[in-house]
């Protein structure tokens, strides 16, 4: 399996390039991996530009055109930033005189390529927005098997986004019951409590039982009395 499995249904060619980059990383050909992610970035850039890109346009020229887009959204800025990183890192790997055995930068290239591919798939390829919840899985990269921890993380991200959307609807009075009547705003305490707990352990834990204040005071007094009686019995003879 591959972190880029979702690209199969979007663009087979992109998937092949991305899967090759992962295989190169797995075999510790880090510089070749970086060059391959640069190639992926250039293909993504050309596909996003569509007819605006000429056959002879270089990666630099296409990126410059994208960067000049008036009032780009945050998603567009993130996408362009990822492509610039892939271009720079790929050029460095190709032209470097020394062979690098450090896979840290190659791993970041794969992660950046992953994020750029997701944005392309959702905002240009028509994929479901649920894809935005996906997290790059290093264990999957190395072993070919999906990490259970990552699966839980993705599930948590999806739930958290759902809660945020529900809170927005409630705050705007848009959440309606089946009969068409608007629901009254509910207290946020319960949801916030669940949210905080999930942030800690991804699972709800029962709240600790606390004693009433009067009972704690009474128990303290009784303990003092017992200690005083013991003192009288054993130390005043």
């Amino acid at each position: 399996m591959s972190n880029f499995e979702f690209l199969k249904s979007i663009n087979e060619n992109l998937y092949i390039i991305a899967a090759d980059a992962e295989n190169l990383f797995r075999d510790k050909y880090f510089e070749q991996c970086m060059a391959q992610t640069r190639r992926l970035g250039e293909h993504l850039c050309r596909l996003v530009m569509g007819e605006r890109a000429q056959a002879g346009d270089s990666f630099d020229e296409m990126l410059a055109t994208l960067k000049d887009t008036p009032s780009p959204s945050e998603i567009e800025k993130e996408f362009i930033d990822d492509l610039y990183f892939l271009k720079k890192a790929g050029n460095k790997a190709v032209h470097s005189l020394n062979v690098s055995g450090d896979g840290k930068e190659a791993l970041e290239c794969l992660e950046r390529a992953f994020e750029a591919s997701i944005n392309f798939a959702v905002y240009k390829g028509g994929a479901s927005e649920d894809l935005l919840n996906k997290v790059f899985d290093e264990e999957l990269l190395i072993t070919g098997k999906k990490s259970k921890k990552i699966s839980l993380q993705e599930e948590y991200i999806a739930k958290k986004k759902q809660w945020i959307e529900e809170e927005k609807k409630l705050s705007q009075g848009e959440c309606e019951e089946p009969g068409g009547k608007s629901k009254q705003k509910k207290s946020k305490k319960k949801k916030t409590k669940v949210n905080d707990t999930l942030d800690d352990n991804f699972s709800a834990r029962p709240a600790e039982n606390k004693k009433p204040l009067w009972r704690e005071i009474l128990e303290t007094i009784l303990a003092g009395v017992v200690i005083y009686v013991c003192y009288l019995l054993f130390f005043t003879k």
Side-chain angles (χ1 to χ4, degrees), residues 8-67:
K8 275 186 179 179
S9 59
I10 304 295
N11 187 303
E12 183 77 17
N13 189 51
L14 291 176
Y15 168 73
I16 292 171
I17 295 172
D20 282 347
E22 284 188 305
N23 288 333
L24 288 166
F25 182 92
R26 198 174 290 120
D27 294 334
K28 298 185 179 180
Y29 293 114
F30 300 128
E31 290 173 330
Q32 291 88 336
C33 168
M34 292 162 68
Q36 190 75 341
T37 58
R38 182 200 182 283
R39 182 185 177 195
L40 178 65
E42 186 168 351
H43 277 263
L44 288 170
C45 188
R46 189 172 292 278
L47 287 169
V48 166
M49 289 194 64
E51 295 180 355
R52 291 185 294 162
Q54 301 300 314
D57 285 350
S58 67
F59 197 1
D60 278 321
E61 290 169 333
M62 290 189 293
L63 277 175
T65 303
L66 281 182
K67 192 174 181 180

Side-chain angles (χ1 to χ4, degrees), residues 2 9 20 38 92 96 115 166 183 186 194 197 206 210 213 231-232:
S2 164
S9 59
D20 282 347
R38 182 200 182 283
K92 176 184 173 183
S96 176
E115 294 297 332
E166 288 176 358
K183 292 180 180 179
K186 297 180 179 179
V194 174
T197 309
K210 292 186 177 180
L213 181 60
Y231 175 79
L232 291 176

Side-chain angles (χ1 to χ4, degrees), residues 206-221:
E208 295 179 0
N209 293 324
K210 292 186 177 180
K211 296 178 182 178
L213 181 60
W214 65 267
R215 185 172 176 178
E216 290 183 1
I217 294 172
L218 182 59
E219 288 179 352
T220 303
I221 294 172

Side-chain angles (χ1 to χ4, degrees), residues 48-196:
V48 166
M49 289 194 64
E51 295 180 355
R52 291 185 294 162
Q54 301 300 314
D57 285 350
S58 67
F59 197 1
D60 278 321
E61 290 169 333
M62 290 189 293
L63 277 175
T65 303
L66 281 182
K67 192 174 181 180
D68 290 338
T69 302
S71 303
S73 66
E74 289 303 314
I75 296 296
E76 288 171 327
K77 289 178 182 177
E78 179 184 304
F79 180 75
I80 294 169
D81 182 59
D82 286 335
L83 294 187
Y84 265 110
F85 182 90
L86 295 176
K87 179 186 74 69
K88 183 178 179 181
N91 289 347
K92 176 184 173 183
V94 169
H95 299 294
S96 176
L97 295 176
N98 299 316
V99 177
S100 174
D102 183 9
K104 185 177 180 181
E105 194 168 7
L107 178 61
E108 185 172 358
C109 283
L110 282 171
E111 291 172 344
R112 294 266 193 156
F114 176 78
E115 294 297 332
S117 296
I118 283 180
N119 284 330
F120 169 79
V122 173
Y123 298 106
K124 201 72 176 177
S128 169
E129 289 193 6
D130 291 342
L131 192 60
L132 297 173
N133 301 327
K134 285 190 72 64
V135 178
F136 188 84
D137 190 342
E138 292 184 22
E139 187 174 325
L140 176 61
L141 170 65
I142 302 301
T143 66
K145 295 180 181 179
K146 191 169 179 64
S147 165
K148 292 182 180 179
K149 181 180 178 181
I150 292 295
S151 297
L152 286 172
Q153 190 174 346
E154 290 174 348
E155 184 180 341
Y156 169 64
I157 291 170
K159 286 286 186 185
K160 193 168 185 179
K161 286 182 178 179
Q162 183 182 344
W163 290 335
I164 292 171
E165 287 302 315
E166 288 176 358
E167 288 292 340
K168 285 181 180 178
K169 288 180 181 179
L170 287 171
S171 64
Q172 295 170 2
E174 293 178 355
C175 190
E176 295 186 350
E177 294 178 342
K181 297 179 181 179
S182 296
K183 292 180 180 179
Q184 293 181 347
K185 293 183 180 179
K186 297 180 179 179
S187 171
K188 297 181 182 179
K189 290 183 180 179
K190 184 177 180 181
K191 190 165 291 184
T192 303
K193 186 175 180 180
V194 174
N195 201 353
D196 291 341

